[in-house]
Amino acid sequence: NAQVLGKVFGTERCGFALKKFPDWTSIYTYAAPISTPLLRRIYRLAGVHVYNEADDVLYADRNYVAITGLTGGPRTLRLPAAAEVTDLFSGKQMAENAREFSFPFEAGSTRLFLIAPPKK
């Protein structure tokens, strides 16, 4: 009773499917590894906050966001709630009472940001 979203190449066998239950959704895939754009879509379907659209390594918790990436270029990080954002390596304030912020990113670098509640 699952919704077939894709088939195994060259066959009629189900390769990707989604099945909704009253309290959860099951996703099946024959493919491995799953692409990062597809993972981001699955995360959104599950209600998970997606910080970044680039294929970077990202760690986030209530107080910090760390990002490391192989490619350079501009980045925009989206936060789950408005916050004050400080770059912990430079001490520079990156955003004030913001839900997102942008910054230049050098290939192979790591950035670490402090995420704090907005000032009253």
Side-chain angles (χ1 to χ4, degrees):
N1 296 329
Q3 177 184 3
V4 176
L5 302 173
K7 296 183 179 176
V8 176
F9 182 75
T11 74
E12 289 300 312
R13 292 182 18 214
C14 175
F16 187 50
L18 178 139
K19 184 172 181 180
K20 292 187 180 227
F21 294 90
D23 296 331
W24 61 288
T25 299
S26 175
I27 295 175
Y28 164 80
T29 181
Y30 178 81
I34 298 173
S35 71
T36 52
L38 179 56
L39 276 175
R40 282 190 286 273
R41 292 203 56 190
I42 292 169
Y43 294 158
R44 285 189 179 98
L45 178 69
V48 175
H49 179 78
V50 176
Y51 285 82
N52 180 11
E53 296 301 320
D55 292 341
D56 299 316
V57 175
L58 190 133
Y59 166 84
D61 68 15
R62 176 179 293 165
N63 301 306
Y64 302 98
V65 174
I67 180 172
T68 301
L70 296 176
T71 62
R75 295 292 194 275
T76 298
L77 293 183
R78 290 171 190 82
L79 305 173
E84 305 290 320
V85 181
T86 304
D87 183 317
L88 285 177
F89 294 149
S90 71
K92 178 182 175 187
Q93 185 171 11
M94 303 298 294
E96 203 174 314
N97 196 23
R99 294 278 319 249
E100 69 178 46
F101 64 102
S102 298
F103 54 95
F105 192 71
E106 293 182 32
S109 67
T110 296
R111 304 284 297 265
L112 177 62
F113 302 102
L114 174 65
I115 309 300
K119 295 175 185 159
K120 302 282 181 197

